[in-house]
Amino acid sequence: MTSTENNNNGSDETQKTKLIFEDADESMYDGGDNNADVADDITSADYYFDSYSHFGIHEEMLKDVVRTKCYQDVIYKNKFLIKDKIVLDVGAGTGILSLFCAKAGAAHVYAVECSQMADTAKEIVKSNGFSDVITVLKGKIEEIELPVPKVDVIISEWMGYFLLYENMLDTVLYARDKWLVDGGIVLPDKASLYLTAIEDAHYKDDKVEFWDDVYGFDMSCIKRKAITEPLVDTVDGNQIVTDSKMLKTMDISKMASGDASFTAPFKLVAQRNDHIHALVAYFDVSFTMCHKKMGFSTGPKSRATHWKQTVLYLEDVLTICEGETITGSMTIAQNKKNPRDVDIKLNYSLNGQHCKISRTQLYRMR
Ligand code: SAH
């Protein structure tokens, strides 16, 4: 899953796509015969509130080869999980995961998609000759009715930036509790969140310190806001200063919705003398039901995905010596007003030779 809503991500191609559509003057499309197909009945306002209706966001996800190929390999190399099974595809988008399952011999696939993309998925299913195996249902998982009481397999690509942004995990858990047969499987079934620390003077200057002096004016009130918004971007492997620690692992087949809100302690050990400007979070997912365990990581040492990494800038620069540790805890919770947003509370301290600091910072993914 991806999103255009995370507007702090300056380098996001889909964000640009969204802006173009917001700016588009609908009257441009009025009148001309050959424009009928271009405009159809979706307006820029629809895209603003429902970015998944536009193909651009699906193009970005499909072209994320790490992501899409992993799902394809899981399905094609483990047909025993899918063959003759009733499958529910939660948030089907273009229907790609449903098509993989149909090709792998599923008895039937219910592809549920709430955006306008559902209509396109129907067309795709039909033109690929799978209309008898795949039923596309347009609507929210929480509101639709399935024609069958139970399913054997739930498949979904629900992961957001920082794993939990957009909170689609709740939708998967809802579907699991309502329709998954006893002994049924959820793909993927494991997701883990990790934390590490980086040197990032250059980019912190550009994104945070920038506001101190903008063409000679003090805009540091924006700096205070900027630092509370985690930045989605790729981190170079050689920026990493400490080891990496797992904050939390979640078993999607068993967890309760509340388990996605938690406090986890961490202890990061410096692997060299350096300056630390930010902590970096990333996740991996795995499919443990496969013959051989399969999955992918969105970490800075792995091939880049559209999720990139999530960078949380620190107010202080930590001067750290090899072997010293940053200890702390991270609390992650759904925002109360907007459950798609994630509130993050970070406590950290360093009691080092050159630097003694203890601080709490609040962030919000929005
Ligand atoms: N499965 C597709 C799309 C993944 S993106 C692929 O792998 O390429 C997640 C999709 O879930 C989006 O298209 C979004 O519109 C849909 N979605 C999100 N919440 C939903 C809900 N509650 N009910 C149905 N669909 C949902």
Side-chain angles (χ1 to χ4, degrees), residues 48-91:
Y48 185 80
F49 291 109
D50 179 12
S51 49
Y52 286 107
S53 292
H54 189 264
F55 65 83
I57 202 163
H58 296 279
E59 179 179 355
E60 188 192 17
M61 290 188 288
L62 294 169
K63 286 181 176 169
D64 181 339
V65 176
V66 173
R67 178 200 89 110
T68 311
K69 188 82 170 55
C70 178
Y71 277 86
Q72 184 184 43
D73 284 348
V74 162
I75 296 165
Y76 287 2
K77 293 183 180 168
N78 297 276
K79 293 204 173 107
F80 67 94
L81 294 174
I82 303 291
K83 197 171 179 326
D84 303 326
K85 301 284 169 57
I86 308 277
V87 179
L88 172 61
D89 180 356
V90 174

Side-chain angles (χ1 to χ4, degrees), residues 235-277:
V235 166
D236 208 81
N238 60 25
Q239 291 178 263
I240 300 170
V241 178
T242 65
D243 59 355
S244 200
K245 290 288 159 58
M246 189 168 78
L247 278 179
K248 175 86 174 173
T249 187
M250 292 183 279
D251 182 341
I252 318 302
S253 64
K254 293 199 183 80
M255 70 183 288
S257 160
D259 298 344
S261 296
F262 57 87
T263 297
F266 62 82
K267 191 172 160 187
L268 301 174
V269 184
Q271 292 167 326
R272 63 181 190 225
N273 290 355
D274 213 329
H275 304 282
I276 287 172
H277 301 88

Side-chain angles (χ1 to χ4, degrees), residues 1-2 50 52-53 58 61-62 67-68 71 89-97 112-115 117 139-142 156-158 168 171:
M1 188 169 77
T2 189
D50 179 12
Y52 286 107
S53 292
H58 296 279
M61 290 188 288
L62 294 169
R67 178 200 89 110
T68 311
Y71 277 86
D89 180 356
V90 174
T94 53
I96 185 70
L97 305 183
V112 182
E113 171 56 45
C114 63
S115 77
M117 192 49 63
K140 285 198 167 148
I141 281 281
E142 295 81 355
S156 185
E157 197 283 81
W158 53 268
M168 200 182 148
T171 298

Side-chain angles (χ1 to χ4, degrees), residues 174-323:
Y174 176 93
R176 180 199 69 187
D177 293 344
K178 189 162 181 185
W179 292 298
L180 191 65
V181 74
D182 266 356
I185 61 166
V186 184
L187 298 173
D189 61 335
K190 284 264 159 60
S192 306
L193 193 65
Y194 298 83
L195 198 64
T196 188
I198 57 165
E199 190 285 331
D200 203 17
H202 182 69
Y203 213 57
K204 191 186 177 199
D205 266 0
D206 185 43
K207 299 301 290 182
V208 181
E209 316 303 347
F210 166 77
W211 298 107
D212 281 338
D213 177 0
V214 181
Y215 295 88
F217 297 101
D218 175 358
M219 296 195 184
S220 55
C221 53
I222 298 185
K223 173 179 168 173
R224 286 193 290 279
K225 291 189 209 300
I227 206 162
T228 66
E229 296 202 3
L231 198 86
V232 175
D233 212 336
T234 43
V235 166
D236 208 81
N238 60 25
Q239 291 178 263
I240 300 170
V241 178
T242 65
D243 59 355
S244 200
K245 290 288 159 58
M246 189 168 78
L247 278 179
K248 175 86 174 173
T249 187
M250 292 183 279
D251 182 341
I252 318 302
S253 64
K254 293 199 183 80
M255 70 183 288
S257 160
D259 298 344
S261 296
F262 57 87
T263 297
F266 62 82
K267 191 172 160 187
L268 301 174
V269 184
Q271 292 167 326
R272 63 181 190 225
N273 290 355
D274 213 329
H275 304 282
I276 287 172
H277 301 88
L279 298 192
V280 171
Y282 59 91
F283 64 89
D284 64 21
V285 292
S286 41
F287 301 75
T288 70
M289 309 308 283
C290 295
H291 182 58
K292 280 169 73 175
K293 188 178 153 196
M294 298 175 81
F296 64 87
S297 167
T298 65
K301 290 183 177 162
S302 303
R303 183 170 167 191
T305 69
H306 77 280
W307 287 284
K308 304 176 182 174
Q309 288 90 39
T310 303
V311 181
L312 299 104
Y313 284 110
L314 304 179
E315 282 182 29
D316 317 278
V317 178
L318 310 183
T319 304
I320 200 163
C321 303
E322 185 177 348

